Amino acid sequence: MCDGLIHQLSSSIRGLRELFFPRKCVVCKKFLAEDEWDVCAACLEGLPMTYQWDIVQNAAFERLARRFEVQDAASLFFFRTESDYRSILYGIKYGNRRQLAVRMGELLGRQMAASRMFRGCQAVVPVPLHPLRRWKRGYNQAELIARGVAQAMGLPVETKLLRRRRNTKTQTKLHGAAKTKNVQGAFAVDLRCAADLQQQGIRHILLIDDTLTTGSTLAACATPLLAANFEISCATLAYAGQ
Ligand SMILES: [Zn+2]
């Protein structure tokens, strides 16, 4: 009886809130149904998925394998600047859409869990943000995506293994070699954490970032991890042209 009342109250409060602040789909901006979150069912259905988790030597893998020794790689969907789907990434990176980051991570993780690839991954590690940028944004979007991926794959998330040694310029406005130079040497491995993980038998890390563009950020993360004897696989939400 009491539960029923609370449920009724909370759904009336939700109803009132939606009357004043109606929830809209991040992609098409149409109003969401009560059981929809962030992205409407039609837009989710139309998400331009890469299906890279079904192709061992896919474009994401090839792009990264040119830079470092990578086991498996995949992105969830194609990023095009002219597509409305870019709003998913903008929302996650700049719009405080934390729940969306976790849910998109889960969607990616479900594909990977059902795939023949990524079987060797033992822990999920997000690309770290510099503490100052994290403080300004209030969260690290890669960490939220990693939490969703890890949940779907039944793996632990390890946020202490990698840290950012220096704040870098945003990669968005840089190109090619400038991107590589900007992040080179920007990440370091916490040796104590690395030893702890390896003692537990964890040697294969799944690195997570929001977008794969040139691959320079993932390569800069992989370098100290490979030097510390880890194997690396990578996954991102979006796959962008270079
Ligand atoms: Zn929509």
Side-chain angles (χ1 to χ4, degrees):
M1 165 98 182
C2 186
D3 277 359
L5 189 65
I6 288 169
H7 179 77
Q8 261 185 3
L9 260 176
S10 79
S11 71
S12 336
I13 289 168
R14 197 164 60 229
L16 266 178
R17 195 175 57 211
E18 284 182 17
L19 190 65
F20 292 106
F21 307 102
R23 299 179 311 132
K24 287 182 183 173
C25 169
V26 177
V27 180
C28 69
K29 319 293 181 214
K30 288 183 185 150
F31 292 120
L32 290 170
E34 203 180 336
D35 59 345
E36 291 175 333
W37 295 91
D38 302 306
V39 181
C40 74
C43 287
L44 265 186
E45 183 79 32
L47 188 70
M49 300 239 255
T50 67
Y51 296 97
Q52 286 169 343
W53 46 87
D54 288 335
I55 310 158
V56 176
Q57 299 216 326
N58 60 57
F61 174 85
E62 301 282 357
R63 193 177 284 180
L64 293 172
R66 283 201 296 271
R67 294 176 172 269
F68 62 94
E69 192 186 344
V70 59
Q71 305 300 317
D72 282 319
S75 304
L76 179 66
F77 66 93
F78 291 108
F79 174 88
R80 295 189 185 92
T81 42
E82 69 277 13
S83 155
D84 287 340
Y85 282 99
R86 71 185 186 281
S87 318
I88 292 181
L89 280 174
Y90 293 156
I92 286 172
K93 284 181 83 162
Y94 311 113
N96 202 25
R97 294 269 185 175
R98 302 183 195 204
Q99 222 24 262
L100 177 60
V102 178
R103 287 204 183 93
M104 294 305 290
E106 279 172 0
L107 188 56
L108 171 61
R110 284 203 293 275
Q111 317 303 326
M112 292 163 69
S115 150
R116 287 172 184 226
M117 295 155 59
F118 302 102
R119 293 271 166 94
C121 298
Q122 296 169 296
V124 184
V125 171
V127 170
L129 270 188
H130 187 270
L132 185 63
R133 199 175 290 169
R134 190 197 160 107
W135 178 76
K136 279 190 197 155
R137 190 173 293 174
Y139 61 100
N140 173 5
Q141 74 281 2
E143 185 180 329
L144 299 179
I145 298 163
R147 294 208 177 278
V149 169
Q151 171 111 11
M153 295 182 77
L155 293 175
V157 179
E158 183 49 70
T159 56
K160 294 196 175 69
L161 181 60
L162 264 185
R163 62 186 169 77
R164 218 175 248 259
R165 295 160 72 182
R166 56 185 168 80
N167 206 354
T168 53
K169 288 180 206 158
T170 172
Q171 291 281 84
T172 335
K173 296 193 177 92
L174 299 173
H175 293 281
K179 272 193 172 180
T180 306
K181 193 155 179 258
N182 185 40
V183 287
Q184 224 163 37
F187 301 93
V189 162
D190 182 307
L191 293 177
R192 187 187 285 181
C193 183
D196 275 357
L197 289 176
Q198 290 178 355
Q199 200 143 37
Q200 296 168 49
I202 295 180
R203 294 202 160 268
H204 190 155
I205 298 299
L206 175 59
L207 269 176
I208 300 289
D209 204 359
D210 51 85
T211 311
L212 171 60
T213 309
T214 62
S216 50
T217 303
L218 288 167
C221 288
T223 304
L225 286 170
L226 289 166
N229 286 321
F230 285 102
E231 291 191 318
I232 316 286
S233 288
C234 297
T236 68
L237 282 189
Y239 176 87
Q242 292 187 63

